Structures are given as structure tokens and as C-alpha cells.
Amino acid sequence: MARDDESATGLGHADMGHFVRNGGERCRECPLAECSGLHHHALEVREWIASFRKGEVHYDRGEQVFVQGTRPPYLFTVLSGVLMRTRLLEDGRRQIINFMFPGDFLGLQAAVDGEMGHSVEALTRVTLCAFARTQFFELVTQQPRLSFDLTWLAAHEEAALEEHIVSLGQRNARERMVALAVFLVQRGLDTGLAPEGVLQLTVTQGQIADMLGLSLVHTNRSLQALRRLGLVDWKLTSIRIPDLAEARRFARLDGSSQTLRPYI
Amino acid sequence: MARDDESATGLGHADMGHFVRNGGERCRECPLAECSGLHHHALEVREWIASFRKGEVHYDRGEQVFVQGTRPPYLFTVLSGVLMRTRLLEDGRRQIINFMFPGDFLGLQAAVDGEMGHSVEALTRVTLCAFARTQFFELVTQQPRLSFDLTWLAAHEEAALEEHIVSLGQRNARERMVALAVFLVQRGLDTGLAPEGVLQLTVTQGQIADMLGLSLVHTNRSLQALRRLGLVDWKLTSIRIPDLAEARRFARLDGSSQTLRPYI
DNA sequence: CGTCTTTTTGAACGTTCTCAAGGGATGTGG
DNA sequence: CCACATCCCTTGAGAACGTTCAAAAAGACG
């Protein structure tokens, strides 16, 4: 429900963020290289990726990177910042599908289909590494290692969506919230966005509601309950979980596997 | 909730269905070749797949093909029949993630991770085409076309899960049911399992409940309401949708893209 | 024909929703 | 610096949707 119509104008990538056309030379300073949660490529693979890169794009919080139903010219790897994928129903109801962190690949659906089935919006200022959609086939085809990594990312995104489905189908409001908080903080830890276990990220209660399939009012009340219970302290600009293990138990989440993620 | 403990014994693929060790010679009679909803490979690719194939497996309704948390030796392409992917919480709650039809690939998560994050159970008698998990890397790596097709399948499975998330998050009980019925009938039409638009498939109301995150009782009452409305006639062994377009409108589903699916 | 599974019904209860209104923070222009 | 706008959070109260418990009817299966 809680729709904010800030950027549903259909403008889409017509205003292409702030595109900086620069090639692989910038890859030497790739911010992902310092990310401890990522698996880093061999030099030759890195150089191959560099030759593919078309430039960098910046978006500010609230801007749309992809618009549902359009055919984007570029696909992206997130270099920094956080985004969310959303899907709209014709009557205006909105569902947030998932959040995207540094290292994630954006636009896989467009890559194979041409068209996006969802929108992607920046939650913070983000930097994206741009690839040409028309060259995607070469990317999958010419570099076995990257092809495998892409499959890896797709399989893991699928697993994340499964977990979200379990939340929506089987968990009550509080459990859902804890599960989401744990997921976000964990990803924040893996990508260096949550120093000392506190994720610095601005998420409104309206967005939480749209992610968890709850009303704004009920989201608010459940959030207060969790704060009182000392399980999760979720404020506008930060998420703090005093005891990760206890939160996991509460939401009935099983231990995370903690493998290094590849990235393209 | 509605757990049936029929096969949660952890036996898993210890009883390997009924494995028939035969190689590519059987691929000439591949039942998928007659499926109009699938994109068929060039001869050389078909032969390459044939060289990879390790045999055929059969499972009966209710048997488990994969068990959550185990490391299966084989990955499969569905040759005939229907299955479901499920995920269990420690306290016994069960969520059905999705249904799998002929042409679908089973075990992608195990392929990249070794371990399954969900279980897979046969809903009808099924025939599966078996590949060795340890050879997966070769498969992705040596055949560019197959690598792309696998990415295609992963991206589309992701899209299906997104749609399911939208259902669970934004639609009420009746809309969810109609959306699920439309999805199943559509896939049935594409794979030849729904002659005359009636899908012959045994799904209990308990299973519908576990897919849609509803109680068994409420599932029953909603189903009756839909029958009275003439929108969906869902019986134990069949799903009939008198007017597909109207059902789509009711559940606020947008037009399906209707592209040919690849298969491995 | 008896047993097991699945569906159906009733009734009370609870979670979550909707409507409605107020309060706090932040930013902008006069 | 104040007035006003905007965005987000908070609270109250009644209604709706969905759940739970309990039991019986109807099918499916051997």
C-alpha cells in the first residue's frame, strides 16, 4: 500500500543517473577489491572484465535505475551503496522483492529477456559499474569462470527469494521483521557497511511494510514491540541487533553458510 | 502448518528412486522433443548433452528427490511429471516454494554450493534425466549455448519467485489462489499437461495452503468461494479455469510473455 | 468393507487492516 | 527567525480477514 510516488514517473533511465564514460583503467581502483566478503578474480579475468566495462554511473537515494517493463541499455554491478528491487501491481500496490548490496549484479532478467520484470531504486547514493546489455551473451560465453559466477549469483539470489517467501508465508509480523533485519545486517557485515554490527542504512517503515506485506500501522507497532523486547532496534537510519544469535533463534533462521560471493 | 510426514524421514536420495543407467542413446526418444512450449537445441548441442547424461530416474508421487541440507550426487532435468520445491522450518512449518514442470532444471543450488537449501518432492510419477553434479562446471564452461540457457532458466525461475512474493505480500487469499491456479494452468498448457485448458494434477488443499501461507480451513472456504464465483474450479485432481483472461484480471496478473523455454 | 486421507462445517478468537488524527523532525522561502 | 510544507512516525478504535480447535462428512484405496 504505502506508495510514495516520488519517482514512478516512467522517466526511467531516460535520465541516466550521472554516467561517466571511462573504461577499464578505473578498475585498478575498484572499491570492491577491498571488500572482505567477496571472492576476487585472477588478474587475467579482472582484465577481461575491465575490457567489457563501459563506465560508471551514480544515482542518488530515491532515483530509479531500472523501470519495470522497459528495456535497459546497460546492466550493472553494484560498486557501492544499497538498492532495492520492487514490483508494482496495476492498482498501485507495491512489493519490495529484495535489497541489493555491493557486488550484486543488476539486470539479469533484462540480460536474457530484454525487458525488466521489476524496478530497481537506489536506497543510498550508489555507484554502479556499467556493461552493455547487447554484449551479455559474449560475457557468458567467452569467460567460463564468469559464466559460472553469474550462475552462482543467480542461484544465491534465488535462495534469498526463497527465504523471503518462507517469511511471507510462514512467519508472523515480528518474526518477519527480525528475519529481514538479520538478513540486512548480515549482508551489511559481509560488504563492510555495518561496522560494529550496526547497519547504517535509511529504510522507512513504509518500505519495511512494503517488503514484508504488512500495513504501515502494524509495522510500526511490531517494530516498537521488538525494540521493547530488545531484539532489534530499527531506526530510520540504522539497524542494530544486540544479539544476532538470539534474533536468529526468534525468527527461526538456520545458520548462514557464509561463503565468499563472486562478482562480475 | 498442514504437515504430512509421509517422507520426511531423512532417507532422502538414499533410496535413489529407480535409477536406470543408460546414456545418450535414449536421448533420441527424449519426451521433451514433443513439447511445443520448449525451444529445441541444434543437433550438435543435443549430442553434447547426450554425452553428459548419466541415466534416467523415476519417482512416484510423494517421494523426495532432494532433501534440504544434503549433497545430492545428481542434478536433473524434468522429462515428465510435476514436482514441488519445499522448505522446512525447524519447528515443522512448511512452505512450498514453487512447482516444477517438464523441461525445468533441478538442483542448481546444489550445483554451485554442493548443498540443497530446499527439498524437492514428486507430485506425480516423474521421469528425470540425470547429470553428475561434479561435472556441472564442465557443462557451464564447455558449451556457451547451454551456459546461456541455464542463466535463462535461473533468471526466469527468479521471476516466478518474484511473482510468488508479490502474491504472498500483496494479494488476499482469493487473489493468491487465482494467481496460483493461472500460473499452474499456464505452465500446464505450455508443457502439454493441460489438454483443453484443464490441468490434470493432484494437489491437496493442504498443499495449496502451504504454498500460499494460509490455513487449511481458510483455503477450503476461499476455494469454495471461487467455485461459486465461477472463477476457478480447483478439485483434488484437476484445475479448471473457465475464463483465463477474467481470472488474470481478478488476480491482477499482467499478460504473460509466452516465450519458448530452453532446457538442458 | 474398513481404514486412511481429504474436505467440509461451526464457532470463538486473534492478528492484522483501515480509517482518522496528531506529533515530531527537517527543509525552504519570506 | 518564523511560517509553512513535507515526510515520517505514532496512537486510538472498530472492522475485517484469517486462524485455531473440534468434529463430522465425503472420497480414495486396498
Side-chain angles (χ1 to χ4, degrees), chain A residues 41-50 143 145-146 149 263:
Chain A
H41 300 294
L43 186 63
E44 71 171 89
V45 178
R46 279 213 310 278
E47 286 181 351
W48 198 88
I49 294 177
Q143 278 287 335
R145 180 69 221 182
L146 291 186
D149 286 345
Y263 64 95

Side-chain angles (χ1 to χ4, degrees), chain B residues 39-49 145:
Chain B
H39 164 83
H40 302 288
H41 298 295
L43 186 63
E44 72 172 89
V45 178
R46 280 213 309 277
E47 285 181 351
W48 199 88
I49 295 177
R145 179 70 221 180

Side-chain angles (χ1 to χ4, degrees), chain A residues 1 68 85 87-91 93-97 108-109 111-113 117-118 136-137 140-142 144-145 147-148 150-166 168-172 175-176 209-214 250-255 257 259, chain B residues 1 68 85 87-91 93-97 108-109 111-113 117-118 136-137 140-142 144-145 147-148 150-166 168-172 175-176 209-214 250-255 257 259:
Chain A
M1 303 293 120
Q68 189 170 328
R85 303 204 279 148
R87 196 148 164 177
L88 292 172
L89 271 64
E90 284 125 13
D91 59 4
R93 283 182 278 182
R94 169 176 87 164
Q95 176 66 40
I96 299 179
I97 306 291
L108 189 63
Q109 284 186 23
V112 300
D113 257 11
H118 54 259
F136 178 77
F137 194 82
V140 174
T141 279
Q142 291 178 15
R145 180 69 221 182
S147 176
F148 181 84
L150 206 65
T151 306
W152 193 101
L153 286 172
H156 278 255
E157 179 64 17
E158 219 183 280
L161 297 191
E162 280 177 24
E163 190 60 52
H164 192 184
I165 287 173
V166 171
L168 293 175
Q170 304 299 326
R171 298 197 242 256
N172 64 25
E175 291 171 332
R176 285 185 214 181
D210 279 352
M211 174 88 180
L212 300 180
L214 299 168
F250 179 86
R252 293 197 173 91
L253 287 160
D254 32 15
S257 44
T259 47
Chain B
M1 299 293 122
Q68 190 170 328
R85 303 202 280 147
R87 197 147 164 178
L88 291 172
L89 270 66
E90 283 124 13
D91 59 4
R93 283 181 278 182
R94 168 176 88 164
Q95 176 67 39
I96 299 179
I97 306 291
L108 189 62
Q109 284 186 23
V112 299
D113 257 11
H118 54 260
F136 179 77
F137 193 81
V140 174
T141 279
Q142 291 178 15
R145 179 70 221 180
S147 176
F148 181 83
L150 206 66
T151 305
W152 194 101
L153 286 171
H156 278 255
E157 179 64 15
E158 220 182 279
L161 296 192
E162 280 177 24
E163 190 61 52
H164 193 183
I165 287 174
V166 171
L168 293 175
Q170 304 299 325
R171 298 198 242 257
N172 64 27
E175 292 172 331
R176 285 185 214 181
D210 279 351
M211 175 89 180
L212 300 181
L214 299 167
F250 179 85
R252 289 193 180 96
L253 287 160
D254 33 14
S257 43
T259 47

